[in-house]
Amino acid sequence: MTKAQRETQFQSWLKDHRRLLFKVVRAYAVLAEDQDDLFQEICLQIWRSVDRFKGQAKLSTWLYRIALNTAISWERKTSRQQQIQHGADYRQYLLIETSEGMDERLSWLYDEIRRLNRVDRSILLLKLDGYSYQEVSEILGISTNQLGVKLHRLKQQLSKRAEIFKTYGIH
């Protein structure tokens, strides 16, 4: 593949699948500057992987895997540093989101997704995006039975949290 072909392919993938990438970014990073950093890191990993895509999986599945693996690695590296640096910044983020009129339910859902462990977060994102059990299993490297159990528990957990939120307005 020539450099020009590679660049064209990369730009096309970003254009066609940016919503998928932004979902992952938003689920793993809270602050705008962190989201920018994570998005750049994901793009870098996709760029490095362009030549490795062989079409053995759907492109969106392959990109999701790169994005999730990158986000998980990024979170490991930055989570401790973010806790120290962004304690007060997070409250500012909440004020900004609220003042812009973001849908409260969507904001709640992303907050809940961020509270989950890495695997559960990935499962929920993929299922919310309409991936089948088989596709999620392949992306995450877990059995469909294990996925079913985890998804059932996630639904129960989120239902309980949603009821508390609805009743008391407590996160």
Side-chain angles (χ1 to χ4, degrees), residues 22-38 74-75 78 82-83 86-97 102 107 110-115 121:
F22 286 135
K23 286 178 189 177
V24 173
V25 166
R26 181 127 190 242
Y28 282 83
V30 175
L31 300 174
E33 61 264 17
D34 293 334
Q35 290 175 352
D36 289 342
D37 290 345
L38 179 54
W74 177 86
E75 185 183 53
T78 61
Q82 285 176 344
Q83 288 173 0
H86 300 310
D89 291 343
Y90 180 71
R91 288 184 292 277
Q92 180 66 26
Y93 159 79
L94 290 175
L95 293 173
I96 291 168
E97 288 290 341
M102 178 181 225
S107 181
Y110 274 109
D111 286 344
E112 292 303 316
I113 290 171
R114 277 191 292 275
R115 285 187 173 102
R121 195 179 318 172

Side-chain angles (χ1 to χ4, degrees), residues 29-159:
V30 175
L31 300 174
E33 61 264 17
D34 293 334
Q35 290 175 352
D36 289 342
D37 290 345
L38 179 54
F39 184 74
Q40 288 176 16
E41 184 66 29
I42 289 170
C43 288
L44 176 64
Q45 294 306 320
I46 292 171
W47 173 256
R48 289 178 176 165
S49 302
V50 168
D51 295 332
R52 287 186 286 226
F53 181 67
K54 304 297 182 209
Q56 295 171 338
K58 284 179 22 182
L59 176 61
S60 59
T61 301
W62 187 75
L63 291 173
Y64 234 131
R65 178 174 257 170
I66 291 172
L68 288 171
N69 288 337
T70 303
I72 289 168
S73 295
W74 177 86
E75 185 183 53
R76 276 189 205 124
K77 287 189 307 191
T78 61
S79 64
R80 187 155 239 257
Q81 181 181 0
Q82 285 176 344
Q83 288 173 0
I84 295 166
Q85 291 177 344
H86 300 310
D89 291 343
Y90 180 71
R91 288 184 292 277
Q92 180 66 26
Y93 159 79
L94 290 175
L95 293 173
I96 291 168
E97 288 290 341
T98 306
S99 67
E100 291 176 359
M102 178 181 225
D103 184 339
E104 187 175 330
R105 295 168 301 173
L106 184 59
S107 181
W108 175 84
L109 181 59
Y110 274 109
D111 286 344
E112 292 303 316
I113 290 171
R114 277 191 292 275
R115 285 187 173 102
L116 298 172
N117 69 48
R118 292 174 181 104
V119 173
D120 290 348
R121 195 179 318 172
S122 299
I123 288 170
L124 195 55
L125 280 176
L126 290 164
K127 285 306 294 171
L128 287 172
D129 226 10
Y131 282 82
S132 70
Y133 275 63
Q134 185 63 37
E135 290 170 320
V136 174
S137 295
E138 289 173 13
I139 291 170
L140 299 178
I142 60 177
S143 73
T144 54
N145 289 339
Q146 186 180 10
L147 174 63
V149 169
K150 285 182 165 290
L151 197 53
H152 177 72
R153 289 179 183 158
L154 280 170
K155 288 176 184 177
Q156 287 180 323
Q157 179 184 351
L158 287 175
S159 292

